[in-house]
Amino acid sequence: MTLTSIQVDVEVRDRLKAIADASNTSIKQVVARMAAQTMTPAELAERQARGRAAMATNGVVVDDDPADPDRRAAEAFWAGLEGDKP
């Protein structure tokens, strides 16, 4: 794998160093973990599509409109999946 450099402000570098030191790792590993855990817009859209498909399978259809009457049902559905109380 080819290595490269990324220029950041001193404050960002110092913060990355503090995060790395706190987890006994390197800045390289902190940045790699952040990149792996952060979704791209395409990944977010795909996750949203999968979520909508899962809800539709359970009879809940949510429109993009925040005033959608099924919104409360969808929120309750997700709360149930996550183990939270709606």
Side-chain angles (χ1 to χ4, degrees), residues 1 3-4 7 10 12-13 26 28 33-34 36 39 41 43 46-47 50 54 61 66 70 75-76 84:
M1 175 184 333
L3 297 178
T4 187
Q7 293 184 353
V10 172
V12 173
R13 183 209 54 208
S26 67
K28 176 183 171 182
R33 184 173 56 232
M34 181 191 69
M39 288 188 273
E43 291 167 333
E46 194 270 333
R47 177 178 271 189
R50 282 195 334 255
V61 179
D70 287 332
E75 289 171 351
D84 298 331

Side-chain angles (χ1 to χ4, degrees), residues 8-25:
V8 296
D9 294 333
V10 172
E11 295 82 11
V12 173
R13 183 209 54 208
D14 292 348
R15 180 155 175 83
L16 289 170
K17 177 84 170 92
I19 293 167
D21 289 348
S23 59
N24 293 323
T25 190

Side-chain angles (χ1 to χ4, degrees), residues 18-74:
I19 293 167
D21 289 348
S23 59
N24 293 323
T25 190
S26 67
I27 291 175
K28 176 183 171 182
Q29 290 170 315
V30 169
V31 172
R33 184 173 56 232
M34 181 191 69
Q37 293 174 346
T38 304
M39 288 188 273
T40 65
E43 291 167 333
L44 286 169
E46 194 270 333
R47 177 178 271 189
Q48 182 182 35
R50 282 195 334 255
R52 287 175 188 265
M55 288 188 291
T57 299
N58 288 289
V60 178
V61 179
V62 179
D63 195 350
D64 285 334
D65 179 5
D68 183 343
D70 287 332
R71 186 176 185 96
R72 283 192 186 88

